[in-house]
């Protein structure tokens, strides 16, 4: 909060504010200014000729602003911030090179309730001590690590292979594939003579169907599906999922980007080529999402196409605790996605959990999709999104770690958050009530290395 900004003073005066009013400048204080502000009172004061007060009379009573309650779960928010920082430190400590994650230094986590669009936590790192915000503002503003930049809402990140779920949904709905449709992956996609991109698994996955393709994140499968679908149909469908669209949250957010001929034209990026479509289908090219948008899009998928508005407003009530008004869920739109196709997409994310080295030993039944999003020739962001529990999702958690090397390396934060929320140990096993937190520190049951398996 603070004094009215000089360039907005006329607008506030027209709304009945005084010149010296204190208003919300950012965050929830700004978003819910109309609820929080209340109204000033008016007191008539009569003075004698010497300035002495003869009488006072209240002409208009002060009306306090309403109390606003957020959807943010403070315990989950604290846990998300802690787990994100732990994950970043873990990646750096374990890295053997810059390409392996030694440069990881920032990231974000978003957690939502997929059943109503309520935002439960938004973590961004680096962050800052709110109690020292005013004193340290100049330093924070000059910090090259940008602690004031809310990466959960404003960070635009390539979704990488997490986008393959959207490509799958678009292809299923448009009749390009069926769940049993098979593509042969030979480690290189050879449809075009002048552009033959590799699968990440150079030995090739062989014949592969939808669920397996999502499970092992086969690039060649999605190159082929994306080519047959076409960029226009892909982008039209992704728009209905909320990609490249505002989530509707009351806070300042980025819209993200859906890459395609239209975007290339608007940004003067040249001609869109067939090879660009292949890259867009696997979440590369210029595709970009915010961590919140990623969670909201996965929520739309697991809800059979129902797209909720994201919100941080839970309820408001009068200052004395009366006249409670709850913020009801709002459906922004509905993507065409049958329950049958939704179930196959969920199975694909369950298969991804079983095939990813950092999640396959986790006992709790969840759906996962990793993304290794290339940002430079030798550097990638780590992206991972998950919903839990599998049968009746209560939360969707998404994490992006800049320079995190591979998607699987973002599992520590996501699995840790899920474990805390559902009272599980680090391996995904239920913690009995009589057990203490020391249980989480016990060694893993089995640390014997398993034979290497394909994993993104």
């Amino acid at each position: 909060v603070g004094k009215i900004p000089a360039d907005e003073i006329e607008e506030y005066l027209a709304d009945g504010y005084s010149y010296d009013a204190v208003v919300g400048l950012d965050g929830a204080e700004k978003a819910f200014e109309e609820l929080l502000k209340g109204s000033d009172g008016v007191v008539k004061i009569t003075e004698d000729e010497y300035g002495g007060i003869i009488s006072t009379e209240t002409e208009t009573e002060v009306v306090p602003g309403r109390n606003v309650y957020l959807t943010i779960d403070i315990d989950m928010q604290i846990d998300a911030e802690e787990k994100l920082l732990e994950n970043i430190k873990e990646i750096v400590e374990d890295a053997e090179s810059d390409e392996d994650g030694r440069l990881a230094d920032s990231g974000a986590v978003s957690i939502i309730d997929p059943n109503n669009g309520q935002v439960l936590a938004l973590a961004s790192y680096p962050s800052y001590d709110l109690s020292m915000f005013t004193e340290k503002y100049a330093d924070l503003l000059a910090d090259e690590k940008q602690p004031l930049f809310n990466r959960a809402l404003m960070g635009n990140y390539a979704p990488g292979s997490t986008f393959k779920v959207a490509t799958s949904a678009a292809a299923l709905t448009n009749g390009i594939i069926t769940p049993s449709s098979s593509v042969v992956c030979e480690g290189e996609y050879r449809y075009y003579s002048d552009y033959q991109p590799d699968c990440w698994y150079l030995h090739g996955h062989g014949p592969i169907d939808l669920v397996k393709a999502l499970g092992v994140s086969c690039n060649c499968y999605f190159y082929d599906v994306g080519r047959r679908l076409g960029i226009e149909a892909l982008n039209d469908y992704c728009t209905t999922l909320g990609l490249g669209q505002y989530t509707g949250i009351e806070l300042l957010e980025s819209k993200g980007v859906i890459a395609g001929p239209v975007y290339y034209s608007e940004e003067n990026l040249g001609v869109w080529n067939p090879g660009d479509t292949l890259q867009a289908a696997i979440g590369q090219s210029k595709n970009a999402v915010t961590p919140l948008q990623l969670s909201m899009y996965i929520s739309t998928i697991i809800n059979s196409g129902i797209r909720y508005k994201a919100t941080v407003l839970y309820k408001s009530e009068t200052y004395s605790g009366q006249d409670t008004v709850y913020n009801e869920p709002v459906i922004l739109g509905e993507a065409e996605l049958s329950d049958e196709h939704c179930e196959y997409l969920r199975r694909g994310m369950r298969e991804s959990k079983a095939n990813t080295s950092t999640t396959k030993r986790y006992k709790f039944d969840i759906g996962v999709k990793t993304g290794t999003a290339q940002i430079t020739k030798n550097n990638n962001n780590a992206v991972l999104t998950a919903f839990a529990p599998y049968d009746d999702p209560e939360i969707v958690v998404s994490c992006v770690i800049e320079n995190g090397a591979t998607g699987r390396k973002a599992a520590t934060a996501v699995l840790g958050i899920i474990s805390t929320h559902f009272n599980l140990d680090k391996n995904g096993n239920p913690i009995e009530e009589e057990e203490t937190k020391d249980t989480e520190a016990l060694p893993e049951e089995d640390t014997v290395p398993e034979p290497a398996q394909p994993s993104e």
Side-chain angles (χ1 to χ4, degrees):
V1 297
K3 297 295 184 180
I4 299 172
D7 60 344
E8 299 178 34
I9 188 69
E10 295 302 324
E11 179 182 343
Y12 277 95
L13 290 177
D15 286 340
Y17 285 78
S18 62
Y19 275 99
D20 60 350
V22 173
V23 299
L25 299 178
D26 197 9
E29 288 79 4
K30 181 175 183 178
F32 305 119
E33 170 70 21
E34 286 298 311
L35 293 171
L36 294 165
K37 68 175 183 176
S39 60
D40 294 335
V42 176
V43 176
K44 179 180 179 181
I45 300 175
T46 304
E47 300 176 346
D48 60 24
E49 59 184 311
Y50 303 106
I53 296 176
I54 298 174
S55 64
T56 60
E57 179 184 355
T58 300
E59 294 189 341
T60 306
E61 294 287 347
V62 170
V63 178
R66 294 176 69 86
N67 292 332
V68 167
Y69 295 79
L70 303 184
T71 61
I72 298 295
D73 181 318
I74 188 60
D75 294 326
M76 189 173 284
Q77 176 70 28
I78 293 170
D79 190 52
E81 293 183 12
E82 291 176 347
K83 294 294 193 302
L84 175 61
L85 179 55
E86 290 169 6
N87 201 156
I88 293 172
K89 288 181 176 179
E90 176 188 84
I91 292 175
V92 174
E93 291 170 358
D94 293 345
E96 297 179 356
S97 65
D98 291 352
E99 293 81 1
D100 194 35
R102 197 157 54 195
L103 298 177
D105 62 355
S106 53
V109 167
S110 67
I111 311 172
I112 67 161
D113 182 339
N115 300 296
N116 50 32
Q118 290 184 357
V119 177
L120 305 177
L122 293 171
S124 179
Y125 182 83
S127 189
Y128 56 91
D129 182 351
L130 186 60
S131 67
M132 299 295 290
F133 177 77
T134 303
E135 293 86 341
K136 299 288 186 180
Y137 181 72
D139 293 336
L140 292 170
L141 200 61
D143 192 332
E144 62 181 15
K145 293 184 178 180
Q146 297 182 287
L148 296 179
F149 182 64
N150 189 332
R151 289 166 168 81
L153 293 173
M154 298 299 294
N156 279 327
Y157 301 101
S161 293
T162 62
F163 192 85
K164 291 172 180 174
V165 183
T167 301
S168 301
L172 286 168
T173 300
N174 281 276
I176 301 300
I177 60 171
T178 67
S180 60
S181 295
S182 179
V183 172
V184 178
C185 170
E186 298 177 340
E188 184 179 49
Y189 189 63
R190 303 189 181 111
Y191 183 84
Y192 298 112
S193 60
D194 58 343
Y195 180 65
Q196 299 183 342
D198 294 332
C199 183
W200 68 267
Y201 188 55
L202 297 179
H203 298 290
H205 294 105
I208 193 168
D209 64 11
L210 173 66
V211 171
K212 189 65 176 177
L214 283 171
V216 299
S217 203
C218 174
N219 285 349
C220 286
Y221 181 93
F222 292 99
Y223 291 148
D224 194 63
V225 169
R227 175 189 62 79
R228 288 188 282 145
L229 179 63
I231 193 62
E232 288 80 11
L234 175 61
N235 287 356
D236 286 347
Y237 189 83
C238 286
T239 298
T240 68
L241 292 176
L243 295 168
Q245 307 296 309
Y246 292 113
T247 68
I249 194 170
E250 298 86 356
L251 309 175
L252 186 64
E253 65 170 334
S254 173
K255 189 179 181 180
V257 173
I258 296 183
V262 174
Y263 180 75
Y264 264 43
S265 176
E266 291 174 346
E267 299 297 318
N268 297 314
L269 297 176
V271 177
W272 182 267
N273 295 307
D276 295 316
T277 298
L278 303 189
Q279 289 300 315
I282 66 166
Q284 291 292 159
S285 183
K286 298 296 182 181
N287 283 319
V289 299
T290 68
L292 175 61
Q293 192 180 73
L294 179 56
S295 288
M296 296 304 298
Y297 131 67
I298 293 298
S299 171
T300 301
I301 290 289
I302 63 177
N303 283 331
S304 295
I306 297 175
R307 178 186 168 214
Y308 286 104
K309 173 185 180 293
T311 183
V312 290
L313 177 62
Y314 178 63
K315 68 175 182 178
S316 71
E317 60 188 23
T318 60
Y319 191 75
S320 59
Q322 306 297 314
D323 186 29
T324 301
V325 177
Y326 288 91
N327 186 28
E328 298 296 329
V330 174
I331 295 176
L332 291 181
E334 189 167 351
E336 184 182 350
L337 184 63
S338 70
D339 290 341
E340 178 189 5
H341 289 163
C342 172
E343 180 55 32
Y344 277 101
L345 297 175
R346 287 162 59 118
R347 288 181 195 174
M349 292 183 70
R350 176 191 260 171
E351 187 78 5
S352 175
K353 182 255 185 187
N355 279 276
T356 300
S357 59
T358 50
T359 61
K360 64 183 179 181
R361 293 185 180 177
Y362 194 69
K363 306 302 183 186
F364 197 57
D365 198 10
I366 62 177
V368 169
K369 190 69 198 77
T370 57
T372 299
Q374 187 175 31
I375 50 176
T376 65
K377 183 177 180 180
N378 298 313
N379 227 358
N380 305 311
N381 286 340
V383 187
L384 192 147
T385 185
F387 64 88
Y390 181 85
D391 289 329
D392 188 17
E394 296 179 22
I395 59 172
V396 174
V397 185
S398 299
C399 177
V400 177
I401 296 179
E402 297 179 27
N403 306 302
T406 65
R408 61 182 173 80
K409 291 193 174 187
T412 298
V414 174
L415 297 184
I417 289 166
I418 293 172
S419 286
T420 300
H421 183 69
F422 292 103
N423 195 33
L424 310 170
D425 66 19
K426 65 179 182 180
N427 298 315
N429 297 306
I431 298 175
E432 299 297 330
E433 291 185 7
E434 64 269 17
E435 293 185 45
T436 66
K437 292 183 179 180
D438 291 338
T439 305
E440 297 184 10
L442 293 175
E444 293 186 12
E445 296 176 1
D446 179 14
T447 57
V448 179
E450 294 183 0
Q453 296 184 14
S455 172
E456 185 181 53

